[in-house]
Amino acid sequence: MVYIAAVGITTVIFGIGSLLLISRARNKLTDGSIRRFMDNFAICLAFIVTFSVWQALRDIYQVGGTFNVQTNYLSYPEYIFIIFAYIAFIITSFRTQKISEEFGFKDAGKKIVQIIKSEQKTAVPAPGAEPKQEVIKNKENATAKKLVQRKKKNARKK
Amino acid sequence: MLETKETFRKEVSSLKDYLLLLTVDARNYNETTMDTLRFLINEQHVPGVYVTLNKPFEVIQRNLQNNNIDPRIIIFIDATSRPGGTKKIGNCLAIGSPEKLSDISVAMDQAINALQEGDKFLIFDSINTLSIFNKQATVARFVHFLAGKIREWKIKGIIITLEKETEQSLLDELTQFSDFRVDMGGEG
């Protein structure tokens, strides 16, 4: 029983620590979607922390054996806290979905890539610029010329 | 004016990533913005992100179409004041207020990372409007963050500001962060 109480107290300490961290992070943000998401997340966490506090207190007092008869009644609020926590989690998940719809640009990025690719395919060479095939031919001619020159040099050396 | 444009081209065209501070005169603001976008999109064929605090997305889109610049390869982040909060309209995210700096930052990060690897640009239009809605210290911190992010993303970053409307200390700080400062001061 003492071990269970110790675990309960540790959980509460972690929970309160998380709430403090969220509150500090929230204060640094300006108003908007991200801050609202943090508010929702903090509410979820607050319900879970309350649940843990309640449970830890129950465990501590059970160690003393004072509330043994009332234990059943005292466990009801725990269920209420956990139900509220899950409701808050659902709301937060909906908000996350909304944020991803708003701030997600993956589809826009893909569209842009497609547009750029299609433009590259249909690109008309700028006036004065050599057509691609001619450029290749010219390059081939240049390399052929170089080869002939090398052969001539080698022949002269021999 | 023409000379400035040419120096801008010379300085910037060969670079893959940079941070450019564009200080403009109110009369040349429209022309300069369109010229910059024309250079990046029509000449360099680079996709990018345009953060606007001055004009709504619809107006910029219309201006781009009138100037034969393809708006389809730009992701817009519209931070002009408008009722109704955050809204997605095609390839534009309307944040709803220039005060929502956290949302602007997240949107910029997401938009830049959504674009394909390779060259991309980010235009922030403009710092002087940002300072109307936010405290000077906040603006300075945001500018510092923006400069750091542009370096981290390795993109072509262009920060536009009206020279006369920007506080000298902020302008100095901006100049210190940026690779070049181009003054499009009009006739002068």
Side-chain angles (χ1 to χ4, degrees):
Chain A
M1 277 303 212
V2 179
Y3 293 122
I4 292 172
V7 169
I9 290 167
T10 318
T11 318
V12 170
I13 290 168
F14 275 117
I16 291 169
S18 313
L19 276 174
L20 284 173
L21 284 175
I22 288 181
S23 142
R24 273 174 65 182
R26 187 188 170 278
N27 288 338
K28 282 179 189 168
L29 291 174
T30 52
D31 191 28
S33 301
I34 310 297
R35 188 164 158 163
R36 250 178 292 147
F37 166 74
M38 279 203 170
D39 290 343
N40 289 359
F41 183 66
I43 291 167
C44 298
L45 198 65
F47 277 123
I48 288 182
V49 171
T50 324
F51 163 79
S52 300
V53 169
W54 190 269
Q55 208 176 36
L57 284 174
R58 243 169 29 93
D59 288 337
I60 290 164
Y61 283 108
Q62 269 176 5
V63 172
T66 20
F67 288 120
N68 272 345
V69 188
Q70 292 171 8
T71 308
N72 288 333
Y73 295 106
L74 287 171
S75 66
Y76 290 154
E78 279 175 22
Y79 292 113
I80 293 167
F81 293 138
I82 210 76
I83 286 166
F84 278 126
Y86 273 106
I87 292 169
F89 267 124
I90 288 171
I91 295 166
T92 312
S93 303
F94 271 117
R95 182 154 294 285
T96 319
Q97 206 182 7
K98 215 187 159 202
I99 287 173
S100 76
E101 278 166 16
E102 287 167 357
F103 289 84
F105 287 105
K106 226 175 182 179
D107 293 337
K110 278 179 189 169
K111 268 184 197 170
I112 289 172
V113 171
Q114 280 174 349
I115 291 165
I116 290 170
K117 276 183 184 171
S118 65
E119 274 180 2
Q120 278 172 349
K121 276 181 190 172
T122 55
V124 183
E130 284 178 275
K132 272 185 183 175
Q133 280 185 335
E134 278 181 35
V135 174
I136 294 164
K137 271 184 188 174
N138 288 344
K139 277 184 182 173
E140 281 171 358
N141 287 342
T143 45
K145 272 182 188 175
K146 276 181 186 172
L147 277 172
V148 171
Q149 279 174 348
R150 268 186 206 167
K151 277 181 184 175
K152 277 181 183 176
K153 271 186 182 177
N154 288 338
R156 272 179 213 162
K157 278 180 185 174
K158 282 177 185 175
Chain B
M1 185 73 174
L2 267 171
E3 270 178 33
T4 338
K5 275 183 193 171
E6 285 312 310
T7 38
F8 165 68
R9 267 164 220 270
K10 269 183 193 173
E11 297 268 22
V12 153
S13 56
S14 58
L15 292 171
K16 195 180 175 291
D17 54 282
Y18 51 82
L19 175 53
L20 177 85
L21 174 65
L22 212 58
T23 52
V24 290
D25 186 82
R27 280 171 294 176
N28 300 311
Y29 166 77
N30 267 332
E31 198 192 334
T32 310
T33 323
M34 284 302 131
D35 278 344
T36 314
L37 282 166
R38 192 178 294 121
F39 170 72
L40 288 165
I41 292 167
N42 289 5
E43 289 180 32
Q44 296 206 310
H45 308 285
V46 181
V49 178
Y50 190 98
V51 186
T52 170
L53 278 83
N54 290 320
K55 285 177 187 166
F57 151 72
E58 294 86 357
V59 177
I60 294 177
Q61 198 177 31
R62 196 180 57 214
N63 286 349
L64 287 172
Q65 280 162 349
N66 290 341
N67 283 282
N68 293 322
I69 302 165
D70 190 359
R72 293 175 306 160
I73 61 166
I74 308 173
I75 293 175
F76 292 93
I77 297 167
D78 182 348
T80 53
S81 306
R82 50 166 97 200
T86 314
K87 237 189 280 173
K88 191 88 173 269
I89 319 156
N91 58 341
C92 167
L93 174 67
I95 300 282
S97 166
E99 287 164 275
K100 294 179 178 176
L101 295 180
S102 307
D103 285 12
I104 295 173
S105 316
V106 174
M108 280 194 306
D109 187 60
Q110 286 297 317
I112 285 292
N113 288 320
L115 291 171
Q116 62 171 357
E117 276 181 34
D119 285 359
K120 37 194 163 183
F121 70 83
L122 181 124
I123 297 180
F124 193 90
D125 178 15
S126 61
I127 294 294
N128 60 290
T129 315
L130 197 70
S131 22
I132 296 171
F133 293 94
N134 297 282
K135 288 175 196 163
Q136 209 203 327
T138 315
V139 176
R141 245 188 297 161
F142 183 79
V143 162
H144 194 266
F145 157 82
L146 185 63
K149 278 287 174 188
I150 288 171
R151 299 273 184 225
E152 189 192 311
W153 292 325
K154 289 181 179 151
I155 55 168
K156 300 169 196 298
I158 297 171
I159 298 174
I160 302 173
T161 192
L162 289 188
E163 192 177 6
K164 284 176 190 169
E165 302 298 321
T166 317
E167 207 146 311
Q168 194 54 45
S169 58
L170 189 64
L171 208 59
D172 290 343
E173 216 164 328
L174 273 165
T175 314
Q176 191 190 352
F177 294 143
S178 52
D179 295 320
F180 315 101
R181 178 177 159 175
V182 178
D183 299 305
M184 303 284 201
E187 292 82 38

